[in-house]
Each structure stands twice: as C-alpha cells, then as structure tokens.
Amino acid sequence: MGRQKGKNMGAIAIITARGGSKRIPGKNKKEFLGKPIICYSIEAALSSGLFEEVMVSTEDGEIAEIARAAGAAVPFMRSGETAGDFATTDDVLMEVLEEYGKRGREFSYMACLYPTAPFVTAEKLRTAMSLLKEKDAAGVMPVVSFSFPPQRGMAIREGRLEYCYPENAMKRSQDLEKMYHDCGQFYCYHVERYMACRGDLPDGYVPMTVSELEVQDIDNPLDWELAEMKYKMMKERLR
C-alpha cells in the first residue's frame, strides 16, 4: 500500500477491532476456519483494489500484530475514550479520520468493516462502492430481508403469547411490506458528508441486498458454528 501525501487520497478501509469482548472472549482474533477472523475483513478490503489505505483501529497489541501480518496498517492505536464499552462505531470512525487529517491525509470515500465479518468479499465491497458513486449517496448499507414478517411477531407477556401488532395477525405474508435489517458487516461512506453530520446521515443509506445465506450475527458460540457452516456453503456456491 502506498503512503502518498495529498488532499484527495481516494478511499480508506477502516476495520474497527476493539480488544474486549465479553460473550466470546478474544472474538476479533479468534480462529475462524483456520485463521483469525479479522483476517477475512482485511483480505477482502486489500483484494478489492479500492483502497489507498486499509487500516485497523484497535487498542489491543495482539490484534495490531495480527493486522500488520495480514497486510493492514496500524499507524496509531485507538484512544481510551473510543476503546470503552460505550463508544460507538461513529466515535471510532471520526477519531480515525481526524487523526489522519492531523497527519495531512484526507480521503474522499470510506468503508467501515467489522472484524467479525467473514462473509464480506472484495466483490461486495466493489458493488457497494459503485452504488455509492452511481447514486451520489452519503452512505450504502448491506441489508438482508427478514425470513419471517416481523409485523406478525409475538411477545411473551405474563406467560402468554400475544401479537405485537394484532391487526396483522391474519394477514398473508405477501400482503405485508417486505422488511430488512442491517447485515452488520460493513458500510460505505462519502467522507465529507459523513464528517459533516458525524455519521447521522440526514438522507439515510442506499440499500444493497444480500442473501440470507451470507449473513450471520456472531454473538455467542452457537452463532460462531453457524457462521462457519454458512461460510463453507458460500464458498462452495462460489466455486
């Protein structure tokens, strides 16, 4: 990767990898099918050919070593303020962009990748960045549709099931508006617009739909096993 100076440096990929994880200890550096899970995000960003810089934001020395060995830059460590439990992703991204600015480096576009996102591929990143530019958008978010209509969801109240939205109880699935949720993998941004609102995009995000087979939250050991199974399926389908 180059270390050029200049105002307009194209795009940067920022992988946010805090060291602490309570539900899965060492989650961001835990091995996923033979290598640290963070390596998948790094490799996707590098192989996409989109970025002047692929960097990891972390306060953890071991994660920094893994990142550098995988080809990412770790030019500075994350501050104590953004390494805490209550710091948001936007806090981290703003810190990174501002720190690069102090060093005389600015970028037109940015991708934020999560470190536990093995389903991110170079092709998905290219598609998202193309959408960002074609739609003249401030942000692009990969989303997946709910497999069951959330409008017909139920809650357990006083030991009994109750529809959250009784008016939808008897409606057919095809008559309900299709709903989506964040894949929790990556986001792409127009940097100037992002910084102007500190991540609270007034015009929202352009969606990029992703197959349910390529999405898995990883919050506990069972999620981890499911992710490995889905990843193997994805790789088999791409052959």
PDB file of all heavy atoms in Angstrom, residues 49-67:
ATOM      1  N   GLY A  49      -8.995  -3.878  -4.312  1.00  0.00           N
ATOM      2  CA  GLY A  49      -8.291  -2.886  -5.116  1.00  0.00           C
ATOM      3  C   GLY A  49      -8.888  -1.488  -5.038  1.00  0.00           C
ATOM      4  O   GLY A  49      -8.550  -0.617  -5.833  1.00  0.00           O
ATOM      5  N   LEU A  50      -9.751  -1.259  -4.045  1.00  0.00           N
ATOM      6  CA  LEU A  50     -10.470   0.012  -3.935  1.00  0.00           C
ATOM      7  C   LEU A  50      -9.759   1.057  -3.093  1.00  0.00           C
ATOM      8  O   LEU A  50     -10.034   2.249  -3.240  1.00  0.00           O
ATOM      9  CB  LEU A  50     -11.850  -0.234  -3.294  1.00  0.00           C
ATOM     10  CG  LEU A  50     -12.869  -1.049  -4.077  1.00  0.00           C
ATOM     11  CD1 LEU A  50     -14.033  -1.424  -3.160  1.00  0.00           C
ATOM     12  CD2 LEU A  50     -13.372  -0.254  -5.268  1.00  0.00           C
ATOM     13  N   PHE A  51      -8.871   0.614  -2.205  1.00  0.00           N
ATOM     14  CA  PHE A  51      -8.441   1.483  -1.116  1.00  0.00           C
ATOM     15  C   PHE A  51      -6.965   1.861  -1.179  1.00  0.00           C
ATOM     16  O   PHE A  51      -6.104   1.019  -1.407  1.00  0.00           O
ATOM     17  CB  PHE A  51      -8.743   0.805   0.224  1.00  0.00           C
ATOM     18  CG  PHE A  51     -10.192   0.405   0.365  1.00  0.00           C
ATOM     19  CD1 PHE A  51     -10.569  -0.927   0.250  1.00  0.00           C
ATOM     20  CD2 PHE A  51     -11.171   1.367   0.568  1.00  0.00           C
ATOM     21  CE1 PHE A  51     -11.906  -1.297   0.352  1.00  0.00           C
ATOM     22  CE2 PHE A  51     -12.508   1.009   0.670  1.00  0.00           C
ATOM     23  CZ  PHE A  51     -12.878  -0.328   0.567  1.00  0.00           C
ATOM     24  N   GLU A  52      -6.717   3.141  -0.926  1.00  0.00           N
ATOM     25  CA  GLU A  52      -5.347   3.624  -0.793  1.00  0.00           C
ATOM     26  C   GLU A  52      -4.755   3.163   0.536  1.00  0.00           C
ATOM     27  O   GLU A  52      -3.538   3.001   0.662  1.00  0.00           O
ATOM     28  CB  GLU A  52      -5.320   5.155  -0.846  1.00  0.00           C
ATOM     29  CG  GLU A  52      -5.768   5.760  -2.158  1.00  0.00           C
ATOM     30  CD  GLU A  52      -4.755   5.559  -3.271  1.00  0.00           C
ATOM     31  OE1 GLU A  52      -3.587   5.285  -2.958  1.00  0.00           O
ATOM     32  OE2 GLU A  52      -5.144   5.671  -4.440  1.00  0.00           O
ATOM     33  N   GLU A  53      -5.626   2.955   1.504  1.00  0.00           N
ATOM     34  CA  GLU A  53      -5.180   2.540   2.836  1.00  0.00           C
ATOM     35  C   GLU A  53      -6.197   1.563   3.416  1.00  0.00           C
ATOM     36  O   GLU A  53      -7.411   1.799   3.347  1.00  0.00           O
ATOM     37  CB  GLU A  53      -5.061   3.757   3.757  1.00  0.00           C
ATOM     38  CG  GLU A  53      -4.575   3.469   5.159  1.00  0.00           C
ATOM     39  CD  GLU A  53      -3.061   3.627   5.324  1.00  0.00           C
ATOM     40  OE1 GLU A  53      -2.328   3.220   4.401  1.00  0.00           O
ATOM     41  OE2 GLU A  53      -2.635   4.159   6.357  1.00  0.00           O
ATOM     42  N   VAL A  54      -5.715   0.458   3.950  1.00  0.00           N
ATOM     43  CA  VAL A  54      -6.540  -0.486   4.700  1.00  0.00           C
ATOM     44  C   VAL A  54      -5.966  -0.512   6.107  1.00  0.00           C
ATOM     45  O   VAL A  54      -4.834  -0.957   6.314  1.00  0.00           O
ATOM     46  CB  VAL A  54      -6.507  -1.899   4.079  1.00  0.00           C
ATOM     47  CG1 VAL A  54      -7.270  -2.890   4.960  1.00  0.00           C
ATOM     48  CG2 VAL A  54      -7.101  -1.880   2.670  1.00  0.00           C
ATOM     49  N   MET A  55      -6.706   0.035   7.065  1.00  0.00           N
ATOM     50  CA  MET A  55      -6.175   0.168   8.413  1.00  0.00           C
ATOM     51  C   MET A  55      -7.094  -0.486   9.439  1.00  0.00           C
ATOM     52  O   MET A  55      -8.285  -0.671   9.209  1.00  0.00           O
ATOM     53  CB  MET A  55      -5.952   1.633   8.767  1.00  0.00           C
ATOM     54  CG  MET A  55      -7.183   2.469   9.016  1.00  0.00           C
ATOM     55  SD  MET A  55      -7.808   2.404  10.754  1.00  0.00           S
ATOM     56  CE  MET A  55      -6.472   3.214  11.639  1.00  0.00           C
ATOM     57  N   VAL A  56      -6.502  -0.839  10.572  1.00  0.00           N
ATOM     58  CA  VAL A  56      -7.250  -1.407  11.692  1.00  0.00           C
ATOM     59  C   VAL A  56      -7.150  -0.458  12.874  1.00  0.00           C
ATOM     60  O   VAL A  56      -6.058  -0.012  13.237  1.00  0.00           O
ATOM     61  CB  VAL A  56      -6.704  -2.799  12.073  1.00  0.00           C
ATOM     62  CG1 VAL A  56      -7.330  -3.297  13.377  1.00  0.00           C
ATOM     63  CG2 VAL A  56      -6.975  -3.792  10.943  1.00  0.00           C
ATOM     64  N   SER A  57      -8.294  -0.133  13.448  1.00  0.00           N
ATOM     65  CA  SER A  57      -8.354   0.699  14.647  1.00  0.00           C
ATOM     66  C   SER A  57      -8.537  -0.214  15.848  1.00  0.00           C
ATOM     67  O   SER A  57      -9.572  -0.883  15.979  1.00  0.00           O
ATOM     68  CB  SER A  57      -9.524   1.682  14.553  1.00  0.00           C
ATOM     69  OG  SER A  57      -9.731   2.322  15.799  1.00  0.00           O
ATOM     70  N   THR A  58      -7.539  -0.269  16.717  1.00  0.00           N
ATOM     71  CA  THR A  58      -7.594  -1.144  17.883  1.00  0.00           C
ATOM     72  C   THR A  58      -6.727  -0.578  18.998  1.00  0.00           C
ATOM     73  O   THR A  58      -5.813   0.207  18.754  1.00  0.00           O
ATOM     74  CB  THR A  58      -7.128  -2.569  17.525  1.00  0.00           C
ATOM     75  OG1 THR A  58      -7.342  -3.438  18.641  1.00  0.00           O
ATOM     76  CG2 THR A  58      -5.644  -2.588  17.152  1.00  0.00           C
ATOM     77  N   GLU A  59      -7.044  -0.982  20.217  1.00  0.00           N
ATOM     78  CA  GLU A  59      -6.194  -0.663  21.359  1.00  0.00           C
ATOM     79  C   GLU A  59      -5.426  -1.893  21.830  1.00  0.00           C
ATOM     80  O   GLU A  59      -4.639  -1.831  22.768  1.00  0.00           O
ATOM     81  CB  GLU A  59      -7.058  -0.098  22.504  1.00  0.00           C
ATOM     82  CG  GLU A  59      -7.724  -1.112  23.419  1.00  0.00           C
ATOM     83  CD  GLU A  59      -8.793  -1.971  22.743  1.00  0.00           C
ATOM     84  OE1 GLU A  59      -9.116  -1.755  21.571  1.00  0.00           O
ATOM     85  OE2 GLU A  59      -9.298  -2.895  23.400  1.00  0.00           O
ATOM     86  N   ASP A  60      -5.643  -3.023  21.138  1.00  0.00           N
ATOM     87  CA  ASP A  60      -5.103  -4.319  21.536  1.00  0.00           C
ATOM     88  C   ASP A  60      -3.831  -4.625  20.743  1.00  0.00           C
ATOM     89  O   ASP A  60      -3.852  -4.703  19.515  1.00  0.00           O
ATOM     90  CB  ASP A  60      -6.172  -5.388  21.291  1.00  0.00           C
ATOM     91  CG  ASP A  60      -5.762  -6.765  21.763  1.00  0.00           C
ATOM     92  OD1 ASP A  60      -4.910  -7.390  21.106  1.00  0.00           O
ATOM     93  OD2 ASP A  60      -6.295  -7.222  22.797  1.00  0.00           O
ATOM     94  N   GLY A  61      -2.721  -4.827  21.453  1.00  0.00           N
ATOM     95  CA  GLY A  61      -1.441  -5.070  20.792  1.00  0.00           C
ATOM     96  C   GLY A  61      -1.421  -6.332  19.958  1.00  0.00           C
ATOM     97  O   GLY A  61      -0.820  -6.364  18.875  1.00  0.00           O
ATOM     98  N   GLU A  62      -2.068  -7.382  20.437  1.00  0.00           N
ATOM     99  CA  GLU A  62      -2.074  -8.643  19.691  1.00  0.00           C
ATOM    100  C   GLU A  62      -2.879  -8.511  18.395  1.00  0.00           C
ATOM    101  O   GLU A  62      -2.471  -9.016  17.347  1.00  0.00           O
ATOM    102  CB  GLU A  62      -2.655  -9.767  20.551  1.00  0.00           C
ATOM    103  CG  GLU A  62      -2.482 -11.143  19.931  1.00  0.00           C
ATOM    104  CD  GLU A  62      -2.939 -12.268  20.839  1.00  0.00           C
ATOM    105  OE1 GLU A  62      -3.234 -12.012  22.023  1.00  0.00           O
ATOM    106  OE2 GLU A  62      -3.013 -13.417  20.351  1.00  0.00           O
ATOM    107  N   ILE A  63      -4.021  -7.820  18.465  1.00  0.00           N
ATOM    108  CA  ILE A  63      -4.798  -7.580  17.247  1.00  0.00           C
ATOM    109  C   ILE A  63      -3.985  -6.758  16.262  1.00  0.00           C
ATOM    110  O   ILE A  63      -3.993  -7.030  15.054  1.00  0.00           O
ATOM    111  CB  ILE A  63      -6.129  -6.859  17.576  1.00  0.00           C
ATOM    112  CG1 ILE A  63      -7.078  -7.811  18.306  1.00  0.00           C
ATOM    113  CG2 ILE A  63      -6.791  -6.334  16.299  1.00  0.00           C
ATOM    114  CD1 ILE A  63      -8.379  -7.171  18.760  1.00  0.00           C
ATOM    115  N   ALA A  64      -3.255  -5.766  16.758  1.00  0.00           N
ATOM    116  CA  ALA A  64      -2.421  -4.941  15.882  1.00  0.00           C
ATOM    117  C   ALA A  64      -1.374  -5.794  15.169  1.00  0.00           C
ATOM    118  O   ALA A  64      -1.126  -5.614  13.964  1.00  0.00           O
ATOM    119  CB  ALA A  64      -1.744  -3.836  16.698  1.00  0.00           C
ATOM    120  N   GLU A  65      -0.766  -6.736  15.883  1.00  0.00           N
ATOM    121  CA  GLU A  65       0.240  -7.611  15.273  1.00  0.00           C
ATOM    122  C   GLU A  65      -0.378  -8.487  14.195  1.00  0.00           C
ATOM    123  O   GLU A  65       0.187  -8.661  13.104  1.00  0.00           O
ATOM    124  CB  GLU A  65       0.890  -8.490  16.348  1.00  0.00           C
ATOM    125  CG  GLU A  65       1.835  -7.750  17.280  1.00  0.00           C
ATOM    126  CD  GLU A  65       2.483  -8.679  18.295  1.00  0.00           C
ATOM    127  OE1 GLU A  65       2.410  -9.920  18.096  1.00  0.00           O
ATOM    128  OE2 GLU A  65       3.050  -8.184  19.276  1.00  0.00           O
ATOM    129  N   ILE A  66      -1.559  -9.062  14.483  1.00  0.00           N
ATOM    130  CA  ILE A  66      -2.257  -9.903  13.505  1.00  0.00           C
ATOM    131  C   ILE A  66      -2.595  -9.077  12.265  1.00  0.00           C
ATOM    132  O   ILE A  66      -2.426  -9.528  11.135  1.00  0.00           O
ATOM    133  CB  ILE A  66      -3.538 -10.499  14.124  1.00  0.00           C
ATOM    134  CG1 ILE A  66      -3.172 -11.514  15.218  1.00  0.00           C
ATOM    135  CG2 ILE A  66      -4.403 -11.162  13.055  1.00  0.00           C
ATOM    136  CD1 ILE A  66      -4.354 -11.965  16.065  1.00  0.00           C
ATOM    137  N   ALA A  67      -3.081  -7.853  12.487  1.00  0.00           N
ATOM    138  CA  ALA A  67      -3.482  -6.982  11.381  1.00  0.00           C
ATOM    139  C   ALA A  67      -2.300  -6.660  10.482  1.00  0.00           C
ATOM    140  O   ALA A  67      -2.400  -6.739   9.244  1.00  0.00           O
ATOM    141  CB  ALA A  67      -4.100  -5.704  11.932  1.00  0.00           C
TER     142      ALA A  67
END
